[in-house]
Amino acid sequence: ETIGSDPLRWYLMSSPILRGGDLKIAKDASDMRDVVRLVVNPIWNAYSFFCLYANTDGYEAKLRGDAPGLLDRYILAKTHALVAAVTERLDAYDLGGACSQVFGFLDALTNWYIRRSRERFWRSGMDDDKRDAYDTLYTVLVTFAKTVAPLLPFVSEEIYRGLTREASVHLADWPDAATLPADARLVAEMDRVRDAASA
């Protein structure tokens, strides 16, 4: 009632209990508050960021994966890898592994792509680079909502419906990684740069 069902669901699915381990739940629910802080809030903040600037500019973004910019190509390829990895994990009934893939992706989306693209969204007027940024973030968010729908059903539903105006993310087809560009070398090199920046 105070934290929500999605954080509880995520907490249980990403816990050792699914692998036969022990699980100790904190009486003050601090462990589930961490899920809100580290998983749900970053997702919601990325969605809110997109909506704020797209609505301010009156821009109707579209699904596309052909933006030429380095950051755009990186996050699209990273999303491709996410869809492929989560699909593989869920097919193997590895819910904890799927949660781990999503958690790792969130840092790339929020702390790398959006943070380094903010000036593109803040820029006055509309040019090709700004359109690329909007379309790329929209494509990533729609694909991400579909990918996390089994793990975070209510958050993904709200985001997907807000972005697409469609009936439900749970009625949408599972995302196909092949619709996004794959670039394993770019992802590996950019991730190495991210690791160096974090260190």
Side-chain angles (χ1 to χ4, degrees):
E1 291 179 2
T2 58
I3 294 174
S5 57
D6 272 2
L8 172 62
R9 180 184 179 93
W10 179 278
Y11 176 73
L12 293 173
M13 286 191 302
S14 62
S15 73
I17 199 168
L18 288 184
R19 294 179 294 282
D22 294 328
L23 177 64
K24 184 176 180 182
I25 298 176
K27 286 185 179 181
D28 64 354
S30 58
D31 34 20
M32 280 171 255
R33 279 196 199 91
D34 285 344
V35 172
V36 174
R37 183 174 57 86
L38 298 171
V39 179
V40 177
N41 284 350
I43 295 169
W44 194 257
N45 289 343
Y47 169 63
S48 298
F49 178 89
F50 172 82
C51 291
L52 174 67
Y53 290 100
N55 289 335
T56 299
D57 283 331
Y59 186 74
E60 188 84 24
K62 58 185 181 230
L63 290 170
R64 54 181 275 248
D66 60 351
L70 187 66
L71 273 174
D72 296 331
R73 287 180 16 239
Y74 165 71
I75 200 63
L76 289 166
K78 190 81 172 164
T79 306
H80 170 100
L82 171 75
V83 171
V86 170
T87 302
E88 181 182 328
R89 299 297 192 285
L90 291 180
D91 284 347
Y93 299 102
D94 178 11
L95 298 179
C99 289
S100 177
Q101 292 294 322
V102 171
F103 186 72
F105 176 81
L106 283 176
D107 183 65
L109 175 62
T110 60
N111 292 328
W112 193 258
Y113 178 75
I114 291 178
R115 194 172 279 182
R116 271 142 197 79
S117 296
R118 282 188 293 206
E119 292 182 2
R120 300 166 70 195
F121 294 96
W122 292 344
R123 186 183 309 142
S124 61
M126 186 64 68
D127 58 13
D128 287 342
D129 183 56
K130 193 171 184 180
R131 283 187 197 89
D132 289 344
Y134 276 127
D135 291 344
T136 297
L137 185 53
Y138 176 79
T139 301
V140 168
L141 288 172
V142 169
T143 306
F144 181 79
K146 290 179 179 181
T147 306
V148 300
L151 308 171
L152 296 167
F154 297 106
V155 171
S156 62
E157 176 81 339
E158 188 70 23
I159 291 173
Y160 184 79
R161 290 179 68 186
L163 290 170
T164 66
R165 299 184 195 96
E166 293 179 13
S168 174
V169 70
H170 305 293
L171 297 174
D173 290 337
W174 183 254
D176 180 4
T179 62
L180 296 168
D183 193 335
R185 181 178 176 183
L186 174 60
V187 169
E189 290 178 352
M190 189 74 79
D191 286 347
R192 203 157 42 242
V193 171
R194 287 175 49 224
D195 289 342
S198 295

